[in-house]
Amino acid sequence: MFSLVVSATNWSLTREEPFRFVGLANFAQLFGDKEFWQYFINTGYLMLGMPIAIAGSLCLALLLSQKLRGVVIYRTMFYLPSFTSGVALLILWKALYNPQFGPINAALGPIFQWFGGQAPEWLLSTKNLLGLHAEDIRLVWAQFGLGARDAMIFMGIWISIGGSNMLLYLAGLSNIPQELFEAAQIDGAGPWATFRHVTWPQLAPTTFFILVMSFIGGLQGGFESARVLTAGGPAGTTTTLAYYIYTKAFEEFQIGYASAVSWVLFIIIAVVTLLNWKFGSRETNDA
Amino acid sequence: MKETTATTSGRSGEWWFRKGRFGVSHLALCLLALTTLTPFLWMVLASFKHVSEIEGNLNPFPKVWHPENYAQVFKQIHFARYYFNSIFVAAWVTVLQTLTSAMAAFAFARLRWPRRDQVFKLYLFTLMVPGVVTMIPNYTLMVKLGLLDSYIGLIVPASFSAFGTFLLRQFMMGIPRALDEAAAIDGATHWRTFWDVILPLARPGLVTLAIFTFMGTYGSFFWPLVLIKSDALRTLPIGMLYFDSVYGKQTNLIMAASVMNITPLIILFVSTQKFLVKGIQLGAVKG
Amino acid sequence: MKWVFAGAFVLLCLLAIPAYRGSHDPVTAGKTRIVWISDDNPVRKGQIELFNKTHPSIELKIDPTNAGMEKVIVQSLAGVGPDLFDCYNPFQLSAYVRAGIAADITDDMLKAGVDVGKIIWPAVKVTCVRDERAYGFPCNAACDAVWFNKKLFEEARIPYPDHQMTWDELIALAKRLTVREADGRAKQFGLLCDWWQWQSFIAMWGGSIFSADGSQCVVDSPEAIAAVQFLHDLIYVHKVMPSPADEASATQGGWGSGTISFFSGDKGAMAFGGRWWLCTLRMSKDLRSGVMPAPFGPGGVYRGYGRSTLVSANSKNRAAALEFMKYLAGPDYNQLLNDQGDALAPVPAYCQGERFLHNPEYPQETDNQVWADAMAKGVPDQVSPYVNGNLANRILTKQLDLVKNDQKTAADALRSAAKRINEEIAKGRAMAAAAGVAGRAGTAEKTGGRP
C-alpha cells in the first residue's frame, strides 16, 4: 500500500528536487513511454514458453506415474534444475550458450551449416522467432531467427519442466480415484481416450492452479536472468517489466515512476488472474 | 498406477505389450533425464578444471583434475560460515513459516467467521504484488526497526507466506470434517483440535510446504543481497558472488561452490520426496 | 506434532548461540576501524596493508560486496554506511553530493597542505571535485594507449612499432596481423578494443556526450558519429577486431575483461587499453608486451578516466577517514600504485623520474613514459546535471548495442539516443525549474511567519 502512495510522488533517492506529490503524472508518463510497451512485449514473448513447459511437466508426470523401476532417480534428476541456486545456474547457461565454444552450438552448428545458415548467436543477438523489431513495435523479416529472448525461453523451459509443476501434476494424478480408470478399461477405452475423458478432466484443478501461478510468475519474472546473463540487453531485448522496475528504482532512482510501473503490472496480473479464475472455475464445474 | 490392475493378466501378448510400453517410457525418460543432467555434468567437470581451461575449449573433461578447487573455495571465502548461515536461516524460516501458515490455514479452512472467504481472496492477492514492489517498503521498515544486517531481518519477513497458507488450506479442506466435529463433541477447544487432530493429519502437507520453503529460502538471493552487510552474516548465494566479481571470474570455483551448495538439497529431496507428492492436494480452488 | 515443533524450536535456539557468537567481528583494542567500499582488485590488499602499517591507530577494512550506488546511498542514509566509498565518474559524484552523503573535505585538506584540485591530474578532477569543492581524492588516473604483443610481431616478421602512428597506418598493420583459419574464424586479431571504449573514441574524435554546460546531449554531433562509425568499421569493414560473438567466447573465466584475456592469451597482436591492464598482464609470465601511444583522432586528445574515494558525510570516524585522504595524496601510496601498475598515480608529480620509469622488479616494462605523456593529453567526461547518468547510459548502451550488432548505422543510433536523452533533459530542466519555484515559495511561506 505504501508503494501506491509512492507511485503518486516524485520520490527519488538522490533528493534532486523537493519531495512532492505529482498525482497521476507518473501513470500518464508511463502510457506514453515507448520503452514500457517494448518491455511489456518482451515479458509477453518470454511467457510463450509457458504452455510448452506446462505440457512438458504433464508428460513427465504421466510417464513417472507409472510403476517403473527407478522412479525416484528420475524424479530427482528432473527436479535437479530447481535445486541449483539462481546465480550458478545462470552462469552455467551463459557458458552453454557461448556462440563459439558453447556445447549447444557445438552440437547444433553442423545442423545449421547443413541448411546453409549460421549457428545462432543466442544471448548476443536481438533476433527472435516472431521477427519482432528491436526498437519499434512491429515485425521485420530481418529479425527472424534465434536470439537472446529465445535463449531465455529455452532455459526457462529447461528449468521449470521438472520442477514443482511436475510434482503438482504427480500429486494430482495420485489423487484420481482408481475406479475411474477401471471403469474406463471396462468400457474398452484406449490410452488416448482414457487420458482425454478421465485423466485430463480430473487434473483440471491442478492445471488451473499451475496456470494461475505460472501467469503470475511469468509476468513478474525475468529479473535474475536479465541481471546475471544479459543486463537486459542486447539493446534491451531481454528487459522484462520486473527488470525495468528494478533499473528505474535502483539505478536511475526514480522510485515514484518505478512504483507506478509496478502498480500497472499488478493490475495486469490481477486482471489476468481474475479472468483465469472465472474461466477456470467454469471449466472445473463442467468436469 | 493404472497398470497395476492389469498385472494379473495371463495373456503373454498383453504382457509383452506392457513390457514394451515400459521400455518406451524408460527410453523417453532416459533421454529427457540426459538433457537435464548434461549441464550438471558440465558443472561438475568444470569444478575440477583449471580456470584457463573453461573458456575457448570444447573438451568437457579437464586435462588435469584439480580437486584442490574445493579446498580453495574454503580458503578464499568463509564458505563454512556461509553454509551454516544458509542452513540456519532456512531452518528458522521453514519452522516459522510452516507454523504460521498452518495456523492461518486452519482459520481459513476450519473456523467460521464473517467474510472469511473474501478475506482469503484478498490474502491471495498479495501473491500477485511483484516482489520488487514490496521490497522497497520492506527495506525501509527494516531500516526503521534497526534490523538491517541481522539474522532477524532475514528470518522474520520470510516467515509469513500466502502461498503456504493456500497450500495448507487446500490440504486441510480435504480432511474429513467429522473428525474435528467429534473432537468438538468431546469438548476440545479450537486450539486442541488444531494441535491434536488437524496437524497430525496434515503432515504430508506440512512436509511439502517445509521442503518448498527450505529450498526457496536456502537459495534466495535478492533479499539477503540488499539486507546483509557484514561478511559473517552472508548466505551462500551471496558469498559465492565473490568468485564472479569484475576483477576475477573464477568460474571453476563458482562451479565447485555450487556443487557443494546443492548437495544438501539433493539429500533432502531424495529423503523426503515420498511425502512431497502426497502433500499436495489442491482440490477445487474455490472456497 | 506439538513435540516436533517444540523440539525444532529448542534446537534452533541452541544453534542461535554459535550463530550470534560468530557474527561479530571484533575491532582490535585501541584502534579506530574505518570501512572502505571498493572493488576487490588484488592490488587493493597491498594498498590497505601499507596504510595500516603507517597508521597504527587505524584499522582500514575493505568491503567489496556493498559496492553500487544505490546501496551506498541507502545504507548511508540509514546510518549504517561506510566511512569511505568509491566514485567512478562525475555523474556519481553529483548524485552522492546531492544525496548529502559526500563530505566536503576542501578545508580539512587545505589545512593539511593539500589543494586537491591543483595537485591531481586535471582529467580526473571531475570524479572528486565539484564546483571547486573537494569531496574526496582520486585513487588513480588512466588514459589509453596501444599495447602490442612482441611475440606475435616477431612471428609475422614485423618490426616493433617505434613511433606514434596514424589510424590508417595502424589499421594496415592490424590487417597484416589478423590471422584467419580456413573457415573464416579468426585465430588471431590485429586489434582488440573493449566496446565500452566508444566513449574514448568520441573524445578522441573531438566529440562529447553532453555540451559543456550540460544543457544538451550532443552525442549526435558529426564528430561523435564518425567516431562510433569508425569503431564499427574496425569490426565489420576492416575486420581486424572481434565481433560481439568472438568477444563473448573470451569472457567465461579468468581475470580481467575478455579483451585482456584475449591479449594475454596471444589472440590479439595489438590492444587499445590502459596501464591498469598491468595488474592482470603481469600474471601471464610468458607474455612479452610493449606499449605505443594511441594514434590521435581528429581531436588530438585522449579520454581521461579514473576512480576517486570519497569521505562519507555520515562517517563517525572522520579524522581517520581524512588520514586516508592524506595517504592517497602522499608519496607512499602514489609510488606503491605506480609499482603495482593499477593505472597511474593520481598525483602527476610522482609520475616522472627514474623511480617511476624503471621499476626494478619489472625491468621489461620500459614504456612508462608513454602512459604519462598520454595522461597529459587527457580530457574529462562531460555530464549533465539534468539527466540521471545511469538513464543516459542505458539509452546509449541500447543504441550502441544495435550498432555493435550491425543493425543500425552509427548516425541513426546516435541520433535516436540524443533525441531520447534530450527529451529527458527537457523533463529534468522543467522539474528543476518547478522545484526552484516551489523552493522559493517555501521560503516565502516561512518568512511570512506562519505558525
Side-chain angles (χ1 to χ4, degrees):
Chain A
M1 289 306 123
F2 175 71
S3 67
L4 183 60
V5 180
V6 170
S7 67
T9 69
N10 68 340
W11 186 20
S12 119
L13 274 181
T14 45
R15 295 192 198 151
E16 279 168 44
E17 60 261 1
F19 183 84
R20 70 200 160 93
F21 283 88
V22 293
L24 292 175
N26 277 329
F27 289 95
Q29 186 194 342
L30 187 147
F31 288 106
D33 182 359
K34 202 166 130 194
E35 278 181 296
F36 170 78
W37 293 109
Q38 194 202 338
Y39 301 147
F40 181 64
I41 289 180
N42 281 347
T43 313
Y45 185 85
L46 291 186
M47 282 166 66
L48 288 181
M50 217 175 70
I52 305 171
I54 296 178
S57 299
L58 177 59
C59 288
L60 276 185
L62 283 172
L63 284 171
L64 284 178
S65 67
Q66 306 173 73
K67 274 258 170 347
L68 286 175
R69 217 170 281 173
V71 165
V72 177
I73 300 170
Y74 284 130
R75 241 186 241 173
T76 313
M77 282 198 287
F78 292 135
Y79 203 70
L80 212 49
S82 312
F83 290 136
T84 323
S85 77
V87 182
L89 199 68
L90 294 171
I91 291 169
L92 179 76
W93 273 86
K94 204 171 181 177
L96 297 181
Y97 275 133
N98 185 318
Q100 289 199 351
F101 298 107
I104 293 180
N105 269 11
L108 293 181
I111 304 174
F112 278 94
Q113 266 160 18
W114 194 72
F115 282 110
Q118 257 188 328
E121 290 185 355
W122 297 117
L123 295 174
L124 303 162
S125 160
T126 57
K127 290 181 176 169
N128 56 79
L129 284 175
L130 282 183
L132 284 170
H133 190 267
E135 275 185 285
D136 303 328
I137 300 166
R138 61 193 164 91
L139 306 179
V140 275
W141 175 245
Q143 282 289 331
F144 178 77
L146 287 166
R149 281 180 277 212
D150 308 290
M152 294 280 185
I153 291 181
F154 295 139
M155 184 178 79
I157 295 176
W158 179 81
I159 292 176
S160 66
I161 199 166
S164 44
N165 289 351
M166 183 191 78
L167 290 184
L168 289 167
Y169 268 128
L170 273 174
L173 282 171
S174 70
N175 285 340
I176 300 176
Q178 203 57 49
E179 300 83 54
L180 290 176
F181 290 116
E182 282 161 16
Q185 212 166 29
I186 291 163
D187 290 350
W192 171 247
T194 315
F195 174 77
R196 176 72 191 80
H197 296 291
V198 180
T199 320
W200 179 246
Q202 286 288 321
L203 283 179
T206 313
T207 309
F208 169 62
F209 176 76
I210 290 177
L211 214 60
V212 171
M213 293 310 279
S214 303
F215 256 109
I216 296 177
L219 284 168
Q220 294 182 15
F223 169 72
E224 271 194 7
S225 48
R227 200 179 129 99
V228 179
L229 279 182
T230 57
T237 47
T238 55
T239 305
T240 59
L241 287 179
Y243 189 67
Y244 187 49
I245 294 170
Y246 169 80
T247 25
K248 274 287 169 200
F250 293 100
E251 279 172 14
E252 292 158 20
F253 305 132
Q254 300 175 359
I255 294 186
Y257 186 76
S259 296
V261 179
S262 346
W263 273 94
V264 172
L265 177 59
F266 169 69
I267 291 164
I268 297 170
I269 293 175
V271 168
V272 168
T273 312
L274 283 178
L275 283 178
N276 248 328
W277 213 300
K278 246 188 147 153
F279 175 76
S281 33
R282 206 176 51 220
E283 183 95 316
T284 323
N285 286 346
D286 288 349
Chain B
M1 297 283 163
K2 49 195 156 183
E3 283 75 11
T4 51
T5 52
T7 40
T8 46
S9 158
R11 284 175 297 170
S12 65
E14 191 166 317
W15 186 84
W16 276 111
F17 170 71
R18 298 210 171 274
K19 197 81 181 166
R21 248 181 76 195
F22 276 9
V24 172
S25 300
H26 266 298
L27 193 71
L29 285 171
C30 274
L31 281 175
L32 282 165
L34 206 65
T35 55
T36 49
L37 214 56
T38 315
F40 284 94
L41 281 179
W42 189 91
M43 177 169 123
V44 174
L45 290 172
S47 74
F48 285 103
K49 283 181 178 178
H50 186 258
V51 72
S52 62
E53 262 187 275
I54 293 174
E55 67 180 60
N57 190 335
L58 282 177
N59 180 10
F61 291 97
K63 266 181 241 143
V64 186
W65 291 75
H66 291 274
E68 72 273 13
N69 285 348
Y70 284 80
Q72 273 296 317
V73 170
F74 281 94
K75 221 175 116 192
Q76 291 195 13
I77 58 177
H78 298 121
F79 195 76
R81 178 81 208 176
Y82 305 158
Y83 227 135
F84 173 80
N85 285 341
S86 278
I87 294 175
F88 178 69
V89 170
W92 263 110
V93 171
T94 307
V95 172
L96 288 178
Q97 205 194 90
T98 316
L99 193 63
T100 57
S101 300
M103 286 179 177
F106 180 69
F108 283 124
R110 277 300 196 261
L111 306 183
R112 292 210 177 86
W113 37 285
R115 306 218 160 261
R116 184 187 74 178
D117 292 343
Q118 281 87 337
V119 173
F120 181 67
K121 278 197 178 156
L122 205 66
Y123 205 70
L124 279 192
F125 265 97
T126 59
L127 274 179
M128 297 169 208
V129 184
V132 227
V133 184
T134 51
M135 221 201 61
I136 302 162
N138 264 349
Y139 188 86
T140 336
L141 187 70
M142 288 298 127
V143 171
K144 291 251 162 69
L145 294 177
L147 292 178
L148 217 58
D149 201 26
S150 72
Y151 281 120
I152 297 178
L154 282 182
I155 293 168
V156 173
S159 299
F160 306 92
S161 141
F163 174 78
T165 310
F166 178 71
L167 196 82
L168 289 183
R169 172 188 178 261
Q170 299 304 107
F171 197 90
M172 288 181 187
M173 302 274 274
I175 298 172
R177 211 165 249 285
L179 288 171
D180 42 323
E181 273 158 14
I185 292 167
D186 288 351
T189 56
H190 286 316
W191 186 245
R192 280 222 28 212
T193 319
F194 173 67
W195 282 107
D196 295 340
V197 181
I198 299 292
L199 273 196
L201 286 170
R203 201 166 63 173
L206 293 176
V207 174
T208 308
L209 176 64
I211 291 163
F212 279 155
T213 312
F214 190 88
M215 287 181 181
T217 321
Y218 187 81
S220 75
F221 174 70
F222 200 67
W223 184 244
L225 180 72
V226 293
L227 196 82
I228 291 303
K229 243 176 74 76
S230 42
D231 183 65
L233 290 180
R234 254 169 236 161
T235 56
L236 277 180
I238 313 302
M240 270 157 49
L241 285 184
Y242 176 84
F243 299 122
D244 188 31
S245 75
V246 192
Y247 281 91
K249 267 204 171 65
Q250 305 184 64
T251 314
N252 51 346
L253 299 192
I254 297 176
M255 295 305 160
S258 312
V259 170
M260 291 191 273
N261 182 18
I262 61 173
T263 315
L265 292 181
I266 296 180
I267 296 169
L268 183 76
F269 182 80
V270 173
S271 58
T272 55
Q273 63 145 347
K274 254 199 340 229
F275 287 102
L276 272 178
V277 174
K278 275 191 216 147
I280 308 167
Q281 280 186 359
L282 294 172
V285 183
K286 301 179 302 156
Chain C
M1 208 30 87
K2 239 185 237 173
W3 299 116
V4 174
F5 274 102
F9 274 119
V10 170
L11 192 72
L12 286 172
C13 289
L14 284 178
L15 270 178
I17 299 168
Y20 274 95
R21 194 168 285 169
S23 67
H24 297 287
D25 185 9
V27 186
T28 320
K31 286 198 179 193
T32 314
R33 171 180 292 171
I34 49 174
V35 176
W36 176 23
I37 290 192
S38 184
D39 56 57
D40 50 1
N41 187 326
V43 298
R44 217 65 76 226
K45 210 175 151 201
Q47 297 163 4
I48 292 168
E49 270 167 18
L50 182 63
F51 178 80
N52 282 336
K53 209 173 82 193
T54 49
H55 298 79
S57 65
I58 305 173
E59 186 186 342
L60 175 66
K61 277 204 88 173
I62 188 170
D63 178 3
T65 50
N66 288 297
M69 266 178 89
E70 74 278 6
K71 285 187 94 172
V72 171
I73 292 180
V74 172
Q75 291 178 347
S76 295
L77 292 176
V80 292
D83 301 284
L84 302 159
F85 52 89
D86 283 356
C87 169
Y88 289 82
N89 57 50
F91 157 67
Q92 291 191 346
L93 179 68
S94 76
Y96 287 135
V97 171
R98 279 195 269 185
I101 63 160
D104 184 343
I105 58 164
T106 323
D107 300 329
D108 300 282
M109 291 304 272
L110 278 176
K111 249 178 249 163
V114 180
D115 187 347
V116 177
K118 293 255 163 56
I119 68 162
I120 57 176
W121 290 104
V124 292
K125 199 174 147 185
V126 288
T127 57
C128 62
V129 179
R130 189 170 180 261
D131 298 334
E132 295 311 313
R133 304 301 293 174
Y135 296 91
F137 201 87
C139 298
N140 62 7
C143 270
D144 294 318
V146 175
W147 292 92
F148 60 89
N149 184 323
K150 292 184 175 169
K151 186 174 108 191
L152 299 185
F153 271 73
E154 284 158 16
E155 277 173 6
R157 298 179 192 287
I158 297 174
Y160 302 153
D162 57 351
H163 65 289
Q164 182 169 23
M165 291 186 241
T166 63
W167 277 109
D168 288 339
E169 281 177 85
L170 191 94
I171 291 169
L173 193 56
K175 278 183 181 162
R176 286 173 64 193
L177 284 157
T178 303
V179 182
R180 286 183 187 276
E181 293 186 38
D183 62 352
R185 197 186 273 190
K187 211 165 95 186
Q188 172 190 320
F189 291 97
L191 179 65
L192 303 170
C193 173
D194 281 308
W195 181 256
W196 57 262
Q197 296 272 27
W198 56 266
Q199 230 174 317
S200 298
F201 280 79
I202 289 182
M204 284 156 74
W205 258 245
S208 168
I209 299 179
F210 295 105
S211 61
D213 63 350
S215 65
Q216 220 192 338
C217 173
V218 292
V219 80
D220 55 350
S221 66
E223 293 87 9
I225 290 172
V228 171
Q229 190 64 43
F230 178 78
L231 203 52
H232 167 271
D233 291 351
L234 285 176
I235 302 176
Y236 292 103
V237 178
H238 307 300
K239 297 193 164 85
V240 293
M241 228 162 72
S243 72
D246 295 324
E247 214 181 288
S249 57
T251 52
Q252 293 310 323
W255 294 81
S257 73
T259 304
I260 301 180
S261 61
F262 253 19
F263 182 71
S264 58
D266 293 336
K267 286 178 192 156
M270 294 183 280
F272 183 76
R275 187 171 187 264
W276 49 275
W277 283 29
L278 274 178
C279 303
T280 313
L281 295 183
R282 279 176 184 168
M283 288 180 207
S284 314
K285 297 275 177 269
D286 303 328
L287 178 75
R288 287 180 295 124
S289 58
V291 188
M292 64 172 144
F296 278 131
V301 290
Y302 301 118
R303 174 185 174 230
Y305 55 96
R307 183 173 53 88
S308 283
T309 298
L310 310 185
V311 175
S312 167
N314 299 345
S315 166
K316 293 177 188 80
N317 306 302
R318 191 174 161 124
L322 281 168
E323 282 306 313
F324 186 70
M325 290 293 114
K326 289 176 209 158
Y327 166 73
L328 290 182
D332 287 346
Y333 174 78
N334 279 274
Q335 275 160 10
L336 174 72
L337 187 102
N338 278 334
D339 290 347
Q340 287 178 327
D342 183 21
L344 282 177
V347 182
Y350 299 104
C351 298
Q352 56 191 14
E354 194 51 27
R355 177 88 167 73
F356 166 67
L357 290 176
H358 301 286
N359 181 348
E361 260 183 83
Y362 298 96
Q364 71 278 19
E365 289 167 14
T366 52
D367 301 311
N368 281 325
Q369 190 59 47
V370 174
W371 300 114
D373 291 345
M375 199 63 225
K377 297 194 178 66
V379 290
D381 287 340
Q382 289 290 348
V383 283
S384 165
Y386 305 109
V387 63
N388 178 301
N390 287 334
L391 174 61
N393 214 10
R394 189 164 56 83
I395 295 170
L396 280 162
T397 310
K398 193 171 162 182
Q399 292 299 329
L400 287 161
D401 268 358
L402 294 171
V403 180
K404 186 185 178 187
N405 280 296
D406 204 18
Q407 290 186 350
K408 227 174 164 179
T409 63
D412 280 349
L414 292 178
R415 273 184 205 126
S416 344
K419 195 172 148 252
R420 277 281 288 121
I421 294 173
N422 277 325
E423 280 167 22
E424 292 292 335
I425 288 180
K427 234 183 272 170
R429 292 180 76 172
M431 271 208 265
V437 172
R440 270 196 297 280
T443 37
E445 225 163 76
K446 248 178 238 156
T447 46
R450 289 193 188 178

